[in-house]
Amino acid sequence: MGLIKSWVVSANSPDCDFPLNNLPYGVFDEGQGARMGVAIGDCVLDVAKVEHGLDAALFAKPEWNAVMAAGPQVWDALRSRLTELLSDETNRAAVEPHLVPLSDVTLKMPFTVSEFTDFYASKNHAFNVGTMFRGPENALPPNWLSIPIGYNGRASSVVVSGTDVRRPWGQLKGPNDELPRFAPCARFDLELEVGAIVGQPSSGMVSVDQAEKMIFGYVLLNDWSARDIQAWEYQPLGPFQAKATATTIGPWIVTRAALEPFRVPTPERERPLLPYLHEPGPMLYDIDLSVGLAPEGKGETIIARTNYSNMYYSAAQQLCHHTTSGCAMRVGDLLGSGTISGTDRDSRGSLLELSWGGREPITLQTGEKRSFLEDGDTLTLYGAAKGDGYRVGFGACTGKVLPAIEQPEWTKEQG
Amino acid sequence: MGLIKSWVVSANSPDCDFPLNNLPYGVFDEGQGARMGVAIGDCVLDVAKVEHGLDAALFAKPEWNAVMAAGPQVWDALRSRLTELLSDETNRAAVEPHLVPLSDVTLKMPFTVSEFTDFYASKNHAFNVGTMFRGPENALPPNWLSIPIGYNGRASSVVVSGTDVRRPWGQLKGPNDELPRFAPCARFDLELEVGAIVGQPSSGMVSVDQAEKMIFGYVLLNDWSARDIQAWEYQPLGPFQAKATATTIGPWIVTRAALEPFRVPTPERERPLLPYLHEPGPMLYDIDLSVGLAPEGKGETIIARTNYSNMYYSAAQQLCHHTTSGCAMRVGDLLGSGTISGTDRDSRGSLLELSWGGREPITLQTGEKRSFLEDGDTLTLYGAAKGDGYRVGFGACTGKVLPAIEQPEWTKEQG
C-alpha cells in the first residue's frame, strides 16, 4: 500500500509523520480549552466540529476514552469517515475551517490513564541489565522465557510530552555504604518504550487473539527511572519510587488500524511458550525508534536507534497474560512494552545500558559525556513505521530534566 | 472517653460495632439504588436525606470520594453534625425515618479506588516469609528496616466484602519441575491487612505529619494471594498476577477521627530511620484483628488473632515514603498495610505463615485441615478498637472462594 493522498498538501510529503495513512488521535489546545484532534500534515483537525456521523457525546470531554469505550465498530467508522473527509476534495470547504496549524497548539494528555502496567519484554534489554547485575550466566531470570514479566506502575505519574520532569529525591545506598541516605537521584535515566492502550474492557481471562482486538492504539513512552533508588528498593517486591516520578507518553495515539501494514512476527522462541501465549499471527510492528539528548541550550545527539520488532513478547501477549488471574482490564489502561534494546551497542534503549552502568560514558556531538541524565537535558523519543513513499509517525515524545527541589527541612537531621 | 449515647438504642450496647463513637461511612442498597450511609447500631442512616448542612453535591454519587475531596473541614463538620443528629433526642423525629435496618441492605463499594498500593510493613510477617524462602539469617531483606517497602497493586481488582472470589489460573512451576505449566492455583491464600484511604491529594513530597492529615480513614483488607503463581513470577519485578485476582475491602470506612482515642506508637526502631520518616507522635492504632475460616456449609473457626499495632511502619510513614519521588497521590488511593502478623503462631495473618508454607497444616474446629484455601471456604476478617464500654468496629470483611473456571480451549496444547 502506498500513500493515501489528502487535499491537505503537507500530508503528502514522504517526510511527514502524519499522512492520511496515519490519522493519529490527540488532544490540543489553541488557547480556548482542550479539544479532541486528529493530526493531518502540519495541522490538527478539530474532530468534534466536522460531520463525523457519530454520537456527539463521544467528543464531549477532551480525551479519547469515550471513543475507545464505544468499541471497534465506532473506531472503524471514525477512521473511514476521516479518510473520506480528508481525501475527497469536495469536503474541503466544510472541513478546512476546522484545521489548526500544529505550530499554534499545545498538545495535552490524549486520554485518561486508568492504570499503568510496565513490562520487561525486550530480551536484549533484560539480558543487558541482568548481565550488569548478575553476570552473563545468570542474566535472564529463569521465568523470562516463559512469562511476559510485568509490574504495576503508577497511573498518576503519567504525563504528556512537553511536561518537565523534576529529578527525584529518594533513599540511596552505594554498594560500599553501610546505611542509606536521603538524597537527590544521581543516576536518573530514560527508558525507550512503546505503550499499548487498552480500548475495550475485560472481566476474565482473554486469549491473545481477543487481547489484540482490545488494543486501541500505541504511543511512545519514556519511563523515567532512578537507577540508584531502584537498586536499593527493588528487592523483594520490585521497583516502586524509582519509577514513580514520571512516565512521559507521546501526544499522539497511533491506532492499530494505521499500523496494520507494518505487522511482523515475534522472534523465534528459545523455549516453547505455554499454549495460552501462542499468537495466531504476526503481532509486532516494524517501527523505527530513536532517542535524542540535548543538553541545556545545545543541539541534540541521537544516542540510540532501535526497532519495536526487537520485542520478545507482543502487547497482545502481555495483555493476555495480564488477564490470566482474572484481573479486570479497563478502558484507558496503559501497558508499557518495557525498554526496547537491539543487539548493537547504539541500539540500547536506556543510559544504564548505553553507558554500561556508568562505566563507559557516551560522548555527545557537543563533546560532553553522559553516564546518566544531567539537569537541563532534554530527552526526545521518535518513532515511525516506514511505508512506500510515506511514514506513519508518532510525533516527538519529549521531556526536560529539572534540578531536584531544595531539601525540605523535615528531611534533615534535627538538633 | 466512654460511650457516646445515641437515641438509636442498639448503638449503646457494648458489643455493637457501630456506636456513636464510630460513625463509619459506607454505601448501601435496599433495592432502590445505591446510597451513601453511615452505620449506627443495627441500622444505616441515609445521609443525603438528613439535614447535614453540607453541599448536596457531595452526596450526589454513591461513593465517598466527593466528601473526601472536600477536605478535613467538611470531614469534621459532617461528623459533628451526625453526632448531634444521632445523640440529641429532639432530632429523632426528623432522622428516624431515614434509618434502614442493616439486615435489609446490601453493602456496596464505599468509594472508587483510584490506585492501590500494597505494603510489606509488619516485621513478623516479613520475617516469617523471609525465613521460609531464604532461612532465618537472611529473612529480612537488607532494606526492610529503612524503607516501608511497597509495590503498586491493581485497583481494578479491589472488590467489596461479600463478593465471591474465583480461584485463579496461572503459570506454576514446582521447585523440581523443569518447565512451568498453566493450571489453577493450588496455594490460594488470604492476607489480613488494614487499608488506609487517601482523602486529600498531593503533588510533591509530603512529610509524615502532612501524610497523616491526608488519610480519611481505614478499612479491613484481604489481599488474596496465589502463592504458587507468586513464587514463579515475582523475581525480579515483584508480584503481579499472584495478587491481581481480587483484593476484598470491608464495607465500612472507619474514619481517622473515630480511631483517635486508640493511637499507639510504632515499635522501637532496630535501625535508626532516616529523618524524613520520623513520626511526630503515635501514628498506629490499637485495633484487634482476627480471621475466620468457614468450610462450605460448616461453622467458622477463628484461625488468627492479631493487632494493627504489630506494624513496624504506620500508614502515614508509608504515604510519606510513597511521595518521596514526587509521585502524585489522589483522592481514593488505597494503601494496604501489608499482612499483619504477631509473634505467636496463631497471630499470623496468612495461611502461608499459619501452615508454615504448607508443611504444618492447621486444624479447624470441624476437624478438617488446611494448608491453603479450598473451594467453598468463606474467609472473614474482623476488626475492632476496644474502648471503655464500647467498641469501634469495622464490620465483617468476607469473601467465598469459588472453584476455578473450566480450562478454556485456547489454553490447551493443540493437535
Side-chain angles (χ1 to χ4, degrees):
Chain A
M1 186 170 75
L3 173 76
I4 307 172
K5 282 213 173 167
S6 172
W7 50 259
V8 180
V9 178
S10 59
N12 301 329
S13 156
D15 300 328
C16 178
D17 264 359
F18 310 125
L20 201 38
N21 305 59
N22 191 350
L23 295 178
Y25 299 134
V27 170
F28 71 98
D29 189 344
E30 47 165 343
Q32 295 162 346
R35 302 187 56 78
M36 293 162 73
V38 58
I40 180 75
D42 54 12
C43 291
V44 55
L45 177 66
D46 188 338
V47 183
K49 297 258 181 72
V50 299
E51 288 285 339
H52 47 67
L54 296 170
D55 185 350
L58 299 179
F59 305 95
K61 204 172 162 193
E63 57 177 33
W64 284 86
N65 299 60
V67 170
M68 291 197 267
Q73 282 189 308
V74 166
W75 308 350
D76 291 348
L78 179 60
R79 185 170 172 84
S80 296
R81 181 62 182 149
L82 289 170
T83 303
E84 196 181 344
L85 290 172
L86 291 163
S87 60
D88 187 343
E89 186 78 31
T90 60
N91 294 313
R92 183 167 185 162
V95 173
E96 203 161 26
H98 306 300
L99 287 175
V100 183
L102 277 169
S103 54
D104 290 353
V105 306
T106 308
L107 295 170
K108 304 286 184 181
M109 276 292 286
F111 69 107
T112 295
V113 179
S114 297
E115 298 195 60
F116 170 44
T117 308
D118 198 29
F119 286 85
Y120 187 57
S122 152
K123 183 165 169 255
N124 301 311
H125 169 71
F127 184 80
N128 288 339
V129 172
T131 301
M132 275 182 264
F133 288 174
R134 294 178 292 270
E137 306 75 25
N138 303 307
L140 277 193
N143 53 15
W144 202 93
L145 293 171
S146 297
I147 302 180
I149 295 178
Y151 66 99
N152 298 298
R154 180 79 195 172
S156 71
S157 71
V158 181
V159 297
V160 72
S161 175
T163 308
D164 292 336
V165 173
R166 201 167 276 287
R167 179 182 298 275
W169 284 78
Q171 279 201 29
L172 319 176
K173 186 178 129 358
N176 303 319
D177 296 340
E178 200 191 332
L179 289 173
R181 63 207 161 83
F182 192 67
C185 168
R187 291 161 73 96
F188 200 46
D189 200 357
L190 76 138
E191 288 195 336
L192 168 61
E193 304 192 21
V194 169
I197 302 164
V198 176
Q200 285 283 280
S202 66
S203 59
M205 227 193 280
V206 301
S207 69
V208 173
D209 192 38
Q210 290 169 303
E212 209 224 5
K213 296 186 172 75
M214 288 165 62
I215 296 173
F216 180 67
Y218 294 84
V219 286
L220 294 177
L221 188 151
N222 179 359
D223 193 37
W224 304 88
S225 298
R227 301 298 182 192
D228 38 9
I229 296 172
Q230 188 175 355
W232 170 233
E233 79 173 358
Y234 92 107
Q235 286 289 5
L237 299 185
F240 183 47
Q241 289 305 285
K243 302 282 195 166
T245 299
T247 296
T248 303
I249 62 169
W252 297 111
I253 304 172
V254 175
T255 61
R256 189 157 49 81
L259 292 170
E260 196 58 39
F262 306 100
R263 281 180 183 271
V264 288
T266 42
E268 278 289 294
R269 302 290 110 182
E270 297 172 37
R271 179 195 295 166
L273 289 180
L274 285 164
Y276 81 93
L277 285 171
H278 290 175
E279 291 171 303
M283 289 193 170
L284 281 180
Y285 300 102
D286 178 5
I287 303 169
D288 284 338
L289 301 165
S290 59
V291 182
L293 191 164
E296 180 93 63
K298 295 189 182 155
E300 178 180 86
T301 302
I302 298 298
I303 59 170
R305 292 176 203 276
T306 181
N307 192 289
Y308 185 57
S309 62
N310 278 309
M311 300 280 297
Y312 192 81
Y313 295 102
S314 65
Q317 287 174 314
Q318 293 172 336
L319 178 51
C320 161
H321 180 72
H322 208 320
T323 68
T324 48
S325 64
C327 180
M329 302 304 296
R330 299 190 289 199
V331 173
D333 282 341
L334 174 64
L335 312 187
S337 60
T339 309
I340 304 164
S341 295
T343 49
D344 301 336
R345 178 164 173 169
D346 70 350
S347 67
R348 298 170 186 165
S350 67
L351 277 167
L352 177 69
E353 295 164 87
L354 288 163
S355 74
W356 208 249
R359 293 194 284 280
E360 302 168 18
I362 60 167
T363 304
L364 307 179
Q365 280 165 15
T366 58
E368 291 164 84
K369 291 188 182 295
R370 284 292 181 281
S371 291
F372 292 96
L373 295 170
E374 300 201 355
D375 293 344
D377 284 353
T378 295
L379 258 289
T380 307
L381 311 186
Y382 303 96
K386 311 252 171 85
D388 183 12
Y390 73 98
R391 45 191 278 145
V392 168
F394 283 73
C397 173
T398 191
K400 181 177 172 177
V401 180
L402 300 186
I405 61 167
E406 288 287 311
Q407 180 163 18
E409 279 304 314
W410 50 267
T411 69
K412 296 178 184 170
E413 206 66 62
Q414 302 299 313
Chain B
M1 185 170 74
L3 173 76
I4 309 173
K5 281 212 173 168
S6 172
W7 49 259
V8 180
V9 178
S10 59
N12 301 329
S13 155
D15 299 328
C16 178
D17 264 358
F18 309 126
L20 200 39
N21 305 60
N22 192 350
L23 295 178
Y25 299 135
V27 169
F28 70 99
D29 189 343
E30 47 165 342
Q32 296 163 345
R35 304 187 54 80
M36 293 163 73
V38 58
I40 180 76
D42 54 11
C43 291
V44 54
L45 177 66
D46 189 338
V47 182
K49 298 259 181 71
V50 299
E51 288 285 339
H52 46 66
L54 297 169
D55 184 349
L58 298 178
F59 305 95
K61 204 173 161 190
E63 56 177 33
W64 284 86
N65 298 60
V67 170
M68 291 197 264
Q73 282 188 309
V74 166
W75 308 350
D76 291 348
L78 179 60
R79 186 171 171 83
S80 295
R81 181 63 183 149
L82 289 169
T83 303
E84 196 181 343
L85 289 172
L86 291 163
S87 62
D88 188 341
E89 186 79 30
T90 60
N91 295 311
R92 183 168 185 161
V95 173
E96 203 160 28
H98 307 299
L99 287 175
V100 183
L102 277 169
S103 53
D104 291 353
V105 306
T106 308
L107 296 170
K108 304 287 184 179
M109 276 292 286
F111 68 107
T112 295
V113 179
S114 296
E115 297 194 61
F116 170 43
T117 307
D118 198 29
F119 285 85
Y120 188 57
S122 151
K123 184 166 167 254
N124 300 312
H125 170 71
F127 184 80
N128 288 339
V129 172
T131 301
M132 276 182 262
F133 288 174
R134 294 178 292 271
E137 305 75 25
N138 302 305
L140 276 194
N143 53 15
W144 202 93
L145 292 171
S146 296
I147 302 181
I149 294 177
Y151 66 100
N152 299 298
R154 179 81 194 172
S156 71
S157 70
V158 181
V159 296
V160 72
S161 174
T163 309
D164 291 336
V165 174
R166 200 166 277 287
R167 180 183 299 275
W169 283 77
Q171 279 201 29
L172 319 175
K173 186 178 129 359
N176 303 319
D177 297 340
E178 199 190 334
L179 289 172
R181 63 207 162 84
F182 192 67
C185 168
R187 291 161 73 96
F188 200 45
D189 200 0
L190 77 138
E191 289 195 333
L192 167 61
E193 304 192 20
V194 169
I197 301 164
V198 176
Q200 285 283 281
S202 65
S203 59
M205 226 192 282
V206 302
S207 68
V208 173
D209 192 37
Q210 291 169 302
E212 209 225 3
K213 296 186 171 75
M214 289 165 61
I215 296 172
F216 180 66
Y218 294 84
V219 285
L220 294 177
L221 188 151
N222 179 358
D223 193 37
W224 304 88
S225 298
R227 300 299 180 192
D228 38 10
I229 297 173
Q230 186 175 355
W232 169 233
E233 79 172 358
Y234 92 107
Q235 286 289 4
L237 299 186
F240 183 47
Q241 289 305 285
K243 301 281 194 166
T245 299
T247 297
T248 303
I249 62 169
W252 297 110
I253 304 171
V254 176
T255 61
R256 188 156 50 81
L259 291 171
E260 195 57 38
F262 305 100
R263 281 179 183 271
V264 288
T266 43
E268 279 289 295
R269 301 291 111 181
E270 295 171 38
R271 179 195 295 167
L273 289 179
L274 284 163
Y276 81 94
L277 285 172
H278 290 174
E279 290 171 303
M283 289 192 169
L284 281 179
Y285 300 101
D286 179 4
I287 303 169
D288 283 338
L289 300 165
S290 58
V291 181
L293 192 165
E296 181 93 64
K298 295 187 181 158
E300 178 179 86
T301 302
I302 297 298
I303 60 171
R305 293 175 202 276
T306 181
N307 192 289
Y308 185 58
S309 61
N310 277 310
M311 301 279 297
Y312 192 81
Y313 296 102
S314 65
Q317 287 174 314
Q318 293 173 336
L319 178 52
C320 161
H321 180 72
H322 207 323
T323 68
T324 48
S325 64
C327 180
M329 302 304 297
R330 299 191 290 200
V331 173
D333 282 340
L334 174 64
L335 311 187
S337 60
T339 309
I340 303 164
S341 295
T343 48
D344 300 336
R345 178 164 173 172
D346 70 351
S347 67
R348 298 170 186 164
S350 67
L351 277 167
L352 178 69
E353 295 164 88
L354 288 163
S355 74
W356 208 250
R359 293 194 284 280
E360 302 168 17
I362 60 167
T363 304
L364 307 179
Q365 281 167 13
T366 58
E368 290 165 87
K369 292 188 182 294
R370 283 291 180 280
S371 291
F372 292 96
L373 295 169
E374 300 200 357
D375 294 343
D377 284 354
T378 294
L379 258 288
T380 307
L381 311 186
Y382 304 95
K386 311 251 172 87
D388 183 14
Y390 72 99
R391 44 191 279 146
V392 168
F394 284 72
C397 173
T398 191
K400 180 178 173 177
V401 179
L402 300 187
I405 61 167
E406 287 288 311
Q407 180 163 18
E409 279 305 314
W410 49 267
T411 69
K412 296 178 183 170
E413 206 68 60
Q414 301 299 311

